[in-house]
Amino acid sequence: MKFILAYGDSNTWGLIPGTSARFPWEIRWTGVLQKQCENVQVIEEGLCGRTTAFEDALRPGRKGCASLPPILETHAPLDAAILMLGTNDCKPVYGAGAYAIGKGIGLCLDELEKYLPAQRILLVSPIELGENVWKPEKDPEFCRNSVAVSRELKEVYRRIAADRGAAFLAASDFAAADDADNEHLNREGHAAFAAAVRKKLKEMGVV
């Protein structure tokens, strides 16, 4: 049995677009991935609002690089890890551009590399935020500029993965945010993303 950590935010948790509810396990990309891979356990560690390195003053415990050490110790030993964070970092309250968010993802990678070689880590740039995500009926924690920043993460993360020798995947190449909230994967998006992750893990020799 191989153990793969999936560390992310609400799109790993499986939030149903436009609601506060959660997709069933068999629809979430982590569940789809596990069903498609033999002798693999995908360890779900998704949390709504999680960032790379910023603390949410209203919701403690969302700082991704700080939460990773006990999670990694809990689930060790691991065979691989999938890291997909950065969407929540685009909120104006953090005042971070793509470069700073990249620094935050680097801190997460630092923690992962204490338990895994870089080539066993899959760094994923998240899906892009939709044009209207910031509107009051969707998620006003974001702003217009959040959309632009989210679009810049792909190339920033690609460079970081290349520099570290980690694998890279852009979720935005395979799925998009649902129109219901311009932020989260729908059922089809989870399925498409899971297929892309499985293909990349096969290339990495993990599954």
Side-chain angles (χ1 to χ4, degrees):
M1 178 72 72
K2 291 185 176 180
F3 299 93
I4 303 174
L5 176 68
Y7 192 67
D9 52 31
S10 53
N11 270 315
T12 297
W13 187 79
L15 191 141
I16 299 172
T19 77
S20 59
R22 189 181 195 184
F23 278 122
W25 175 84
E26 65 271 14
I27 294 176
R28 301 195 293 268
W29 71 264
T30 45
V32 176
L33 177 64
Q34 179 160 323
K35 287 192 296 182
Q36 293 177 347
C37 299
E38 294 183 4
N39 298 316
V40 166
Q41 181 178 337
V42 179
I43 302 166
E44 289 184 315
E45 280 291 350
L47 179 65
C48 297
R50 180 177 278 152
T51 68
T52 62
F54 302 104
E55 192 63 80
D56 188 329
L58 302 177
R59 291 186 293 178
R62 263 61 182 181
K63 186 176 179 179
C65 62
S67 300
L68 256 176
I71 287 173
L72 288 166
E73 187 172 351
T74 297
H75 296 296
L78 293 168
D79 294 284
I82 304 161
L83 174 63
M84 182 170 65
L85 286 172
T87 297
N88 292 298
D89 304 56
C90 297
K91 295 173 181 177
V93 68
Y94 301 123
Y99 176 81
I101 296 171
K103 289 292 187 180
I105 208 70
L107 294 176
C108 294
L109 288 167
D110 288 342
E111 296 301 328
L112 285 168
E113 287 177 20
K114 294 175 183 178
Y115 288 80
L116 288 164
Q119 61 266 28
R120 287 280 170 163
I121 300 171
L122 175 56
L123 176 59
V124 181
S125 61
I127 59 172
E128 298 171 355
L129 292 167
E131 288 286 352
N132 297 314
V133 67
W134 52 272
K135 290 190 173 181
E137 66 271 20
K138 295 193 176 181
D139 194 341
E141 290 190 35
F142 293 102
C143 66
R144 291 177 186 268
N145 187 58
S146 300
V147 180
V149 174
S150 75
R151 291 175 177 173
E152 295 172 0
L153 294 179
K154 176 179 175 178
E155 291 308 316
V156 171
Y157 282 28
R158 187 195 304 276
R159 290 195 298 271
I160 292 170
D163 288 344
R164 289 178 176 257
F168 173 76
L169 184 71
S172 57
D173 286 349
F174 304 95
D178 189 86
D179 288 340
D181 63 8
N182 289 152
E183 186 178 355
H184 294 101
L185 294 166
N186 57 24
R187 178 190 297 253
E188 294 76 20
H190 276 273
F193 179 59
V197 171
R198 179 174 179 268
K199 181 179 179 181
K200 179 59 69 171
L201 290 175
K202 289 184 69 175
E203 292 174 3
M204 294 167 62
V206 175
V207 300

